[in-house]
Amino acid sequence: MEPRTPLLPALLAIAFAAQAAEPEWSNSLGMRFVRIPAGEFLMGSEESPEALAAAFPALPRERFLKLTDEGPVHRVRITKPFLMGRHEVTVGQFRRFLQASGYVPESIADGTGGYGWRKDYDPATSPRGDAFEGRLPRYSWADPGFAQTDDHPVVNITWNDAVALAEWLSKTEGRRYRLPTEAEWEYACRAGTRTRYASGDDPRSLARIANVFDADSAALWPRWQAMALPHHDGHAFTAPVGSFAPNAWGLYDMHGNAWEWVADWHGEDYYAQSPLDDPQGPPKPAGGGVKVRRGGSWHTWAFYARSSFRNWNAPDTRYTLVGMRLVRED
């Protein structure tokens, strides 16, 4: 079993030196990017169901038996540095993309809309007991049912929408933009750590760095009060990007605020066969497949905001918790 200790202390020194030597870079939409150094890390989690049950006693035990895709822990080498969005893509940046490109987001183009919050919505009226109302045309990237400014992370974004933004930026600016691979995302999220979060193992440490399900959100969903972190961060929904402390590599909201699409298809057993250098994820499964999303959201319980946790949806999924962050190749 790999030790749960910070990995390669020299990596942090390299990262800080790189940040000091190279200024932050911004693009035509106002997205700010941080240079992430090449290096190695241990990807995944080796925690046992027993250890997780002790750390998250409010969750039923069966939740801890459904994490086989987080292992085995394996060494990954990111062979080239890359530029990663300092923040999640914002409402204002996405709006400027639409105005400049003429692109129509899927939630509008297919007429079915997205999901949103409504104060008097009863989850019992949904076949799945969903916490949010939808899909309905009234909800989209422009209206998730709660107030947002141009500085909040855009949500109700499909994987296809995210790729369209990256492709438009690539064509417009002559530099390649894309979604991060799953390995790049976890590497950047951990920023040299091997703990559950970039802030440590204790879920309460998220109060400093993440907008997740806490006392403010629980006031609107009292039936999940036991899952809420006890603090008040002042944000019952999304927070303006950069409202919390960054990780050691200067990236904000890698935990919480909005789930972030990554490039990879999901493979339950992919970690057992993942290559050492720059893994790209498994090929698209026959008959379809689902794309991975990472990091958790403003409505996510702390357990699901761990650095190693993997979630997924079909590429045309749009949801009031899901947004994006882009990479630009160095």
Side-chain angles (χ1 to χ4, degrees):
M1 179 181 294
E2 298 282 359
R4 291 184 58 77
T5 56
L7 178 68
L8 300 177
L11 191 59
L12 286 172
I14 293 170
F16 290 132
Q19 288 178 19
E22 188 150 340
E24 178 183 83
W25 184 86
S26 297
N27 71 3
S28 60
L29 293 179
M31 298 175 187
R32 299 158 60 192
F33 288 79
V34 176
R35 189 174 187 272
I36 305 300
E40 295 184 7
F41 78 114
L42 296 176
M43 187 172 183
S45 174
E46 72 275 25
E47 286 199 87
S48 68
E50 292 72 25
L52 291 169
F56 302 95
L59 283 169
R61 178 176 169 76
E62 57 265 24
R63 301 262 180 157
F64 311 122
L65 303 176
K66 299 178 180 179
L67 303 173
T68 55
D69 67 343
E70 291 187 25
V73 172
H74 56 291
R75 190 171 295 275
V76 168
R77 184 163 55 206
I78 303 298
T79 63
K80 298 178 181 178
F82 58 93
L83 293 166
M84 191 166 199
R86 187 180 286 278
H87 304 114
E88 293 158 333
V89 175
T90 67
V91 171
Q93 291 160 356
F94 193 71
R95 178 183 291 110
R96 291 192 287 276
F97 156 61
L98 299 183
Q99 292 170 344
S101 67
Y103 178 77
V104 180
E106 282 195 280
S107 61
I108 297 170
D110 65 17
T112 65
Y115 285 78
W117 179 77
R118 181 165 60 85
K119 185 176 181 179
D120 58 350
Y121 164 71
D122 181 2
T125 63
S126 166
R128 300 185 307 168
D130 202 295
F132 300 94
E133 183 180 43
R135 277 154 62 166
L136 292 172
R138 65 178 290 185
Y139 299 119
S140 70
W141 72 272
D143 183 7
F146 50 84
Q148 289 189 302
T149 71
D150 277 1
D151 294 328
H152 285 72
V154 67
V155 292
N156 265 325
I157 295 301
T158 69
W159 186 89
N160 296 316
D161 292 336
V163 169
L165 170 55
E167 290 179 346
W168 179 82
L169 276 169
S170 299
K171 181 178 180 180
T172 301
E173 297 187 0
R175 301 297 295 264
R176 189 186 178 207
Y177 289 85
R178 55 178 174 79
L179 289 172
T181 66
E182 191 173 10
E184 289 171 336
W185 189 96
E186 187 170 324
Y187 174 65
C189 178
R190 290 188 178 279
T193 66
R194 274 299 297 157
T195 45
R196 290 184 186 124
Y197 314 103
S199 53
D201 278 326
D202 188 344
R204 293 171 296 181
S205 70
L206 289 173
R208 184 175 61 85
I209 68 163
N211 177 25
V212 292
F213 194 74
D214 65 0
D216 291 308
S217 299
L220 303 177
W221 286 273
R223 63 188 174 129
W224 293 323
Q225 179 68 51
M227 308 302 177
L229 292 177
H231 65 272
H232 291 266
D233 64 14
H235 301 284
F237 301 104
T238 55
V241 298
S243 295
F244 297 79
N247 71 9
W249 288 353
L251 299 170
Y252 293 82
D253 302 313
M254 293 298 287
H255 302 285
N257 222 16
W259 286 99
E260 300 176 15
W261 288 114
V262 298
D264 304 34
W265 295 101
H266 179 261
E268 184 73 23
D269 59 355
Y270 179 68
Y271 282 10
Q273 51 192 308
S274 175
L276 170 63
D277 289 349
D278 302 316
Q280 303 293 304
K284 182 179 180 180
V290 289
K291 290 291 187 178
V292 178
R293 53 182 169 94
R294 289 297 209 109
S297 75
W298 60 270
H299 196 263
T300 299
W301 303 340
F303 174 70
Y304 296 109
R306 293 175 298 113
S307 299
S308 61
F309 183 71
R310 310 171 72 197
N311 211 332
W312 57 88
N313 283 107
D316 66 347
T317 296
R318 69 297 307 262
Y319 203 59
T320 191
L321 309 180
V322 183
M324 64 177 127
R325 183 187 308 256
L326 293 181
V327 157
R328 200 206 82 177
E329 294 189 353
D330 202 2

